[in-house]
Structure formats: C-alpha cells, structure tokens
Amino acid sequence: MNKLDTRRDAIRGFSPAWFTASMATGMTSMLLYGFPYKWKPLEYIGIGIALLNLVMFVFFMILFLWRLIQYRDFGSLILHPQQSMALGAVPMALTTIITSLVTILTPYNPSWMPMLALVLWSIAITFSVLSFMVIPFLATSHQRHDFSKVNATLLLPIVPTVVAASAGAVLASVHTGTTAVAIILISYALLAMGVGL
C-alpha cells in the first residue's frame, strides 16, 4: 500500500466504508443506554458514546462531501466494485443517530425533536432507497463479479432499507395520528423491499 503523502491524498482516499465505524458506535451507544438492568452511569456512558457517534458522523460527512466536491469523482465512486457497496453505510449511520436522538431525548420531551427526527429519517430513507435501487443495478450491469469473488459486501446496499424500517418503528412512537400511521406504512414497505431482495 502506498503511503499517503499529503492531506489531499488522504481526502482523495476517503472511502464511504468509514461510515461503518459510525454505525457500530451508534449501535453500541443504544445497547449501553437501553441495557435492561438500569444503572445511571451506564446510561451516561451510552449518551457520551451517542455524542461521539454524532461527531464522527459529521466529521466523516464533511470529509466525504469534501472529496466529492473537490475531485468530482462520484461517477467513478459509484462504479467502483467495493466502494460503491459501502455507500449503504451512510444512511445506516444516519439511522443510528435518529434512533439515539429519539430514544435518549424522549424522556425530556423537547418539542423540536419529533420533527427533526422525521426530517432526518426522510433523508435516511431517501438515500436507503437510492442505495437499494441504484447500487445493485450498477453492480450487475457495469461491474464484473465472479462467484469466487462474491462476499458479504454485496448485501450492504440492500440492508439500509431494513435498518430505516426499524428506525421508523422507534420514530412512530413519538408521533401521533396520520403521521405515525404513515411512518409505520412506509417502514413496512421498506422492510418488504429489503427482505424481498
């Protein structure tokens, strides 16, 4: 592997696979915060890790957008056999932030939280559906995949719809009426898309 000589090389080499670190951090925060045996210090650790996840996601998003704007290489990224598969990690990382936001802030009942979570979830499902529809199509039409080289990364573009559906169940708990019903119906549609493929 070549050594990255400059900061510019580091930005050029930034991969969307880094968002999997944010996914894992978000899941860890929710596991610690929602641990069944209530212990306040563990909840505070979960909140701290959720804040770390938010910082990581924002940092990774800045680097990713910087790369896309500076090098204008989204076309080559989306056709890359490995990096394109990791694009599904972006909406999944955002989904962990949405789940953390709803779960941690619900006891405090801030008035702005349900709408913010709904907007973020709408962004996450948009990118989840795009990942679900576009990446597998490009993988089969523009890339060569031999059976001997197939691995689990081919599932990454499909999984975000299922993850967004699970976040929809959490999000519906802080909404009422037709908004909650619409969230549940969209979540079922997302679940059917992900499980069906």
Side-chain angles (χ1 to χ4, degrees):
M1 181 177 218
N2 295 336
K3 181 181 174 186
L4 297 176
D5 295 326
T6 64
R7 183 178 56 206
R8 179 171 282 170
D9 291 338
I11 297 297
R12 180 68 186 246
F14 184 79
S15 167
W18 279 98
F19 285 95
T20 59
S22 180
M23 283 172 24
T25 305
M27 288 183 269
T28 303
S29 72
M30 287 296 85
L31 286 172
L32 291 175
Y33 185 81
F35 199 69
Y37 304 106
K38 294 297 179 191
W39 188 47
K40 276 294 185 192
L42 200 57
E43 288 183 5
Y44 294 137
I45 292 170
I47 292 170
I49 293 175
L51 291 173
L52 173 66
N53 180 37
L54 179 63
V55 169
M56 285 173 58
F57 181 82
V58 169
F59 179 69
F60 293 156
M61 187 57 74
I62 289 169
L63 290 178
F64 186 55
L65 292 175
W66 187 358
R67 172 196 170 167
L68 293 179
I69 291 168
Q70 184 170 359
Y71 296 104
R72 295 180 180 87
D73 64 347
F74 187 72
S76 62
L77 173 76
I78 205 165
L79 293 175
H80 192 278
Q82 293 302 317
Q83 288 192 9
S84 63
M85 298 299 149
L87 284 171
V90 179
M92 286 193 284
L94 180 58
T95 303
T96 63
I97 291 171
I98 297 163
T99 307
S100 300
L101 180 74
V102 171
T103 306
I104 292 171
L105 292 182
T106 296
Y108 304 105
N109 201 19
S111 60
W112 50 266
M113 186 268 297
M115 187 53 68
L116 175 63
L118 183 62
V119 169
L120 291 175
W121 186 69
S122 300
I123 294 168
I125 63 171
T126 301
F127 285 109
S128 296
V129 170
L130 284 173
S131 170
F132 176 83
M133 304 275 250
V134 174
I135 303 300
F137 171 74
L138 292 175
T140 56
S141 64
H142 290 81
Q143 300 170 5
R144 296 192 60 145
H145 291 280
D146 296 329
F147 187 70
S148 62
K149 296 180 182 176
V150 171
N151 57 27
T153 58
L154 288 174
L155 294 175
L156 274 176
I158 301 165
V159 176
T161 55
V162 177
V163 175
S166 68
V170 174
L171 181 61
S173 68
V174 294
H175 286 278
T176 57
T178 56
T179 306
V181 171
I183 291 169
I184 293 295
L185 291 176
I186 292 169
S187 296
Y188 273 120
L190 290 168
L191 182 64
M193 288 171 64
V195 173
L197 190 62

